[in-house]
Amino acid sequence: MKRSLIKTIALGSLLTCSAAVMADQSDYKLMVIEEAKTAPQEFEVAFNDCALNVKSKNYSQAEEICSKAITLLQQSTGPRFKVRELTSFALSNRGVGRLMAKNETAALSDFYEAQQMSGNELVSHNLTRAKQDLAL
């Protein structure tokens, strides 16, 4: 019970954080969660490590960590809108990593799913950019 309460409180503080953007050299946008005033939680760390690994060109590790962040977000009990938005950001980040790793089909799947979850302009930018790069 105590752990569940702490997890709920931590999730609430995470979901009040805003997302920031890191510009990648390829002009894709990687989203990160700006640091909260609380200690980093497992999903916040996974979310930000996902973007860091994409930026560092550690694509296989990025895919694994992004998938972990997506799973953790899907299991969360926070406000549905914010969970969907953060999940769409994590999908978009994973899509960038997959695209850079030459896994175009999986990348496009991530971008389209992210776009359906959130009409965010950063997510839309990544989908549009991928379609241009792949001449679709």
Side-chain angles (χ1 to χ4, degrees), residues 69-103:
I70 292 164
T71 299
L72 290 169
L73 282 162
Q74 290 171 341
Q75 296 170 355
S76 69
T77 58
R80 287 182 52 86
F81 170 78
K82 199 61 173 176
V83 169
R84 287 178 62 83
E85 182 179 56
L86 289 173
T87 302
S88 75
F89 291 166
L91 282 163
S92 184
N93 285 351
R94 185 174 71 180
V96 172
R98 285 177 164 177
L99 191 64
M100 297 299 152
K102 306 294 185 219
N103 189 351

Side-chain angles (χ1 to χ4, degrees), residues 45-77:
V45 171
F47 190 96
N48 288 343
D49 281 352
C50 164
L52 180 62
N53 276 281
V54 171
K55 189 156 182 69
S56 300
K57 300 180 181 180
N58 299 324
Y59 303 126
S60 62
Q61 189 171 4
E63 182 172 355
E64 181 182 324
I65 295 169
C66 292
S67 296
K68 178 181 177 182
I70 292 164
T71 299
L72 290 169
L73 282 162
Q74 290 171 341
Q75 296 170 355
S76 69
T77 58

Side-chain angles (χ1 to χ4, degrees), residues 2-129:
K2 182 179 177 184
R3 184 174 180 166
S4 177
L5 178 61
I6 291 171
K7 198 172 187 179
T8 302
I9 291 169
L11 179 62
S13 67
L14 168 71
L15 296 178
T16 59
C17 298
S18 60
V21 179
M22 288 192 313
D24 194 14
Q25 292 139 322
S26 62
D27 196 34
Y28 287 95
K29 307 299 183 203
L30 296 171
M31 282 66 73
V32 295
I33 298 171
E34 292 178 341
E35 290 187 37
K37 303 260 189 255
T38 60
Q41 298 300 311
E42 186 178 15
F43 39 82
E44 182 178 350
V45 171
F47 190 96
N48 288 343
D49 281 352
C50 164
L52 180 62
N53 276 281
V54 171
K55 189 156 182 69
S56 300
K57 300 180 181 180
N58 299 324
Y59 303 126
S60 62
Q61 189 171 4
E63 182 172 355
E64 181 182 324
I65 295 169
C66 292
S67 296
K68 178 181 177 182
I70 292 164
T71 299
L72 290 169
L73 282 162
Q74 290 171 341
Q75 296 170 355
S76 69
T77 58
R80 287 182 52 86
F81 170 78
K82 199 61 173 176
V83 169
R84 287 178 62 83
E85 182 179 56
L86 289 173
T87 302
S88 75
F89 291 166
L91 282 163
S92 184
N93 285 351
R94 185 174 71 180
V96 172
R98 285 177 164 177
L99 191 64
M100 297 299 152
K102 306 294 185 219
N103 189 351
E104 291 92 356
T105 303
L108 284 172
S109 176
D110 281 346
F111 290 137
Y112 278 111
E113 186 177 353
Q115 178 64 33
Q116 286 180 335
M117 293 184 95
S118 166
N120 182 283
E121 66 184 67
L122 300 172
V123 172
S124 296
H125 169 84
N126 285 345
L127 174 59
T128 300
R129 178 64 192 232

